[in-house]
Amino acid sequence: MTEKNTGGSPLAPAHQLLNELIGAFWSASIQHQTHLALISALGLTNLSNQMQAHISDEPLTLKTLTDRLLDIGGTPDFTIAQPRIGHTLRSILEADLQVQEAGLPVLNQAIETLVALRDATTRRLIEDVLVGEEAHLSWLKNELSLLDRMGESLYLSVRVSATTA
């Protein structure tokens, strides 16, 4: 984590941590929303609906993280990394998988840091976020596995339908 001027507050590490998570979630949200638009444009209604279900909590997560930062006296001061946008079905799923895989260790490290800071409220908030991120990761792994096993043509034919496969 990068060191930022937080005025020497005992919660400075939590402020820094929350700002880093907010920046990471904004970047991931931009990537996911762009991918959702691309999937929808391809006419993959079922896949689009499933993807939307897995990212629908992102605005709430961002609000919750920001509210917590403000509640503990922090100031929003984050950087949004360049999202990685896929241009094919496989590259979209793989890019989102990479974001999810990279995020889990960061969330786990944040939880460890918050335990050391004795900030149980923020720790609990991050634990709840982690549960959702693990579910999203599992779904992405499953979709890529289905794509590999079924082949793109069959996978696409199943994901066009609005009914649950």
Side-chain angles (χ1 to χ4, degrees):
M1 288 187 230
T2 58
E3 191 69 31
K4 293 194 180 193
N5 183 6
T6 53
S9 165
L11 293 174
H15 298 168
Q16 181 178 333
L17 186 148
L18 284 166
N19 270 308
E20 290 178 7
L21 290 176
I22 291 166
F25 272 90
W26 270 114
S27 179
S29 182
I30 292 165
Q31 178 173 314
H32 295 318
Q33 290 298 324
T34 303
H35 286 163
L36 180 61
L38 290 168
I39 294 292
S40 294
L42 292 172
L44 301 172
T45 307
N46 187 2
L47 183 59
S48 174
N49 291 341
Q50 290 180 19
M51 185 178 282
Q52 178 62 50
H54 284 280
I55 65 172
S56 64
D57 64 337
E58 289 177 351
L60 180 59
T61 297
L62 283 162
K63 181 179 181 336
T64 302
L65 292 172
T66 304
D67 287 348
R68 182 62 183 158
L69 174 65
L70 296 170
D71 287 347
I72 62 173
T75 302
D77 184 19
F78 55 87
T79 302
I80 300 172
Q82 177 75 31
R84 182 170 170 244
I85 306 301
H87 299 288
T88 65
L89 176 61
R90 177 172 295 283
S91 67
I92 287 169
L93 293 172
E94 288 175 346
D96 284 356
L97 179 70
Q98 288 175 352
V99 165
Q100 295 306 120
E101 287 177 334
L104 295 184
V106 173
L107 291 168
N108 280 307
Q109 179 60 50
I111 291 166
E112 290 178 24
T113 299
L114 292 163
V115 166
L117 292 172
R118 296 187 173 149
D119 182 351
T121 303
T122 308
R123 175 193 50 81
R124 177 60 196 253
L125 185 153
I126 302 303
E127 287 173 344
D128 290 345
V129 169
L130 180 61
V131 170
E133 295 303 300
E134 287 177 343
H136 190 182
L137 175 65
S138 177
W139 177 78
L140 285 163
K141 285 180 176 180
N142 187 56
E143 290 304 305
L144 280 163
S145 175
L146 288 171
L147 180 59
D148 288 339
R149 289 181 295 159
M150 296 170 77
E152 190 167 336
S153 295
L154 183 55
Y155 178 87
L156 289 172
S157 70
V158 171
R159 292 302 181 239
V160 169
S161 171
T163 59
T164 304

